Amino acid sequence: MALCCSLSNEVPEHPVVSPVSGSVFERRLIEKYIADNGVDPINGKEITVDQLIEIKAPPIVKPKVPSATSIPAVLKSLQDEWDAVMLNSFTLRQQLQTARQELSHALYQHDAACRVIARLHKEVSTAREALATLKPPTGFTAVTAPSVATSAEAGGVAAQPIEAAGLTPEIISQLQDKATVLTQERKRRGKTVPEGLATAEAIKGYKILASHPALHSASMPGILTMDVHAADTSHILTGGNDRCATVFNKDTEQVVAVLKGHTKKVTKVLYHPEEEVAITASPDATIRVWNITSSSQSAIIRAHDGPVTGLSLHATGEYVLSTSLDQHWAFSDIRVGRLLTKVADTDGNPLTTAQFHPDGLIFGTGTQDSQIKIWDLKEQSNVANFPGHSGPIAALSFSENGYYLATAAEDSCVKLWDLRKLKNFKTIQLDEGYEVKDLCFDQSGTYLAVAGTDVRVYLCKQWETLKTFNDHTALAMGVRFGNHAQSVASVSMDRTLKIYGVE
């Protein structure tokens, strides 16, 4: 029968067994261990030398005792040292196991603490958001019906009630009056070229003037959308993957405001043409109205049950149109954050984008099944459809002349539609695999900008490519013209805002 010492893992000369752990030991090793520690080395229970039980085993034949100067004496000395090393190694293994257990416990505690901190941080953010909505809006002078005011006060937020308020005769009259004024102004302008409009030759010579990479967080890179203040085109509003919207002054190269509140990325932004007011939308299914001066929210519009995909401000500056993957478009009052009407797509398709006609009485929406639909706002009905694209509609833009509509999808082309004849009169075929993310006519309707794989500017009517900008290192997600097309601004997934113009 072969025995093995639990300390040295060798055959013991004088085997003994511990009644406490039942393990076999070399007598001299266990006696040393007990003398030093007073416990069983296997389970740590107290034990004395007297409790050890000797095991009778066949004797091991050993050589005769050598003299102190012999080689066997040296070997015996080495054996003693080996025994000490084995005892120390065993102690270290026990300490290592204990340290591993303590480390595992500490990691579990750390993970639990991180979860608690994350939950508390989320609760704090929610509380701050609710507190921000309690602040009275700055810069707004709005008269609201008693029922709306009572609802907002009772709910603690400037948000619409569950039921849509509807388009009242007063609102319809306001929309009609504004459309009449805009139509008369357009006829008065006629076909004259606006004074100060950049020429086609000037645009051909545009070069990059500035690149601003630090508007949004580097940890969640990517600027997804942009808009420009119509009255002061030096002010640019951007929305990014970092769940923030940023107002930037390109002349002073300073960030004016950072608008935080969305719980998901900001995919659509609007800059009010006459006020320091921003409107943002996100896949978190909310539309938020901001006072830029105070960087605070003045209203939250919860008009949709899914990600908001399109946003367009009415010419009155009082109402916003929105579309969503919940298959509905909505028309809301930005002053009080109230939903006025919500209409489902006629074919039950998710909506991907939206844009008001310059007069504000009709608007266009894009769907995931490649349809462009024209709607009458007053009647809340679908009045025309433009088929022809393939893939979800990515962008659409009405020309200021009121006749042209530009659209793009995932088919690498831009289609131009005549609203008078309700037909496609021009298709700009782009490179194979070209992705279009945004379209924009300038304020005069003379030029069309396309953002996507690169940034391009076309001359309307001739549809000639005037300039192609390849300065972004990733997809360009948005493009806008400056005043009189004297500059072009674009944003990209490469986290930069780039300004183009004459040097």
Side-chain angles (χ1 to χ4, degrees), residues 250-305:
K250 71 179 181 67
D251 290 346
T252 62
E253 298 188 351
Q254 297 292 321
V255 173
V256 177
V258 177
L259 311 176
K260 298 180 179 181
H262 283 290
T263 58
K264 294 184 179 180
K265 59 188 178 182
V266 178
T267 53
K268 297 293 178 182
V269 296
L270 295 174
Y271 210 134
H272 197 287
E274 300 170 355
E275 304 173 18
E276 285 300 306
V277 172
I279 306 169
T280 60
S282 166
D284 65 10
T286 65
I287 300 165
R288 298 171 189 256
V289 184
W290 306 81
N291 183 288
I292 295 175
T293 305
S294 60
S295 299
S296 63
Q297 296 180 57
S298 56
I300 301 178
I301 303 172
R302 293 183 172 89
H304 295 285
D305 300 322

Side-chain angles (χ1 to χ4, degrees), residues 297-361:
Q297 296 180 57
S298 56
I300 301 178
I301 303 172
R302 293 183 172 89
H304 295 285
D305 300 322
V308 181
T309 57
L311 211 58
S312 183
L313 186 66
H314 191 268
T316 58
E318 304 288 330
Y319 309 103
V320 67
L321 168 71
S322 58
T323 54
S324 169
L325 296 183
D326 66 3
Q327 305 173 5
H328 289 76
W329 61 262
F331 185 67
S332 307
D333 187 333
I334 67 170
R335 302 304 188 184
V336 294
R338 185 183 181 101
L339 172 65
L340 298 178
T341 186
K342 184 176 180 180
V343 178
D345 179 72
T346 52
D347 298 322
N349 288 310
L351 303 180
T352 57
T353 186
Q355 182 71 45
F356 266 120
H357 184 272
D359 291 346
L361 291 182

Side-chain angles (χ1 to χ4, degrees), residues 354-376:
Q355 182 71 45
F356 266 120
H357 184 272
D359 291 346
L361 291 182
I362 63 172
F363 61 89
T365 62
T367 68
Q368 277 198 339
D369 70 342
S370 71
Q371 291 285 322
I372 294 104
K373 298 187 177 184
I374 306 299
W375 299 78
D376 184 307

Side-chain angles (χ1 to χ4, degrees), residues 20 199 213 397 404 457:
V20 175
T199 64
S397 179
Y404 294 162
V457 179

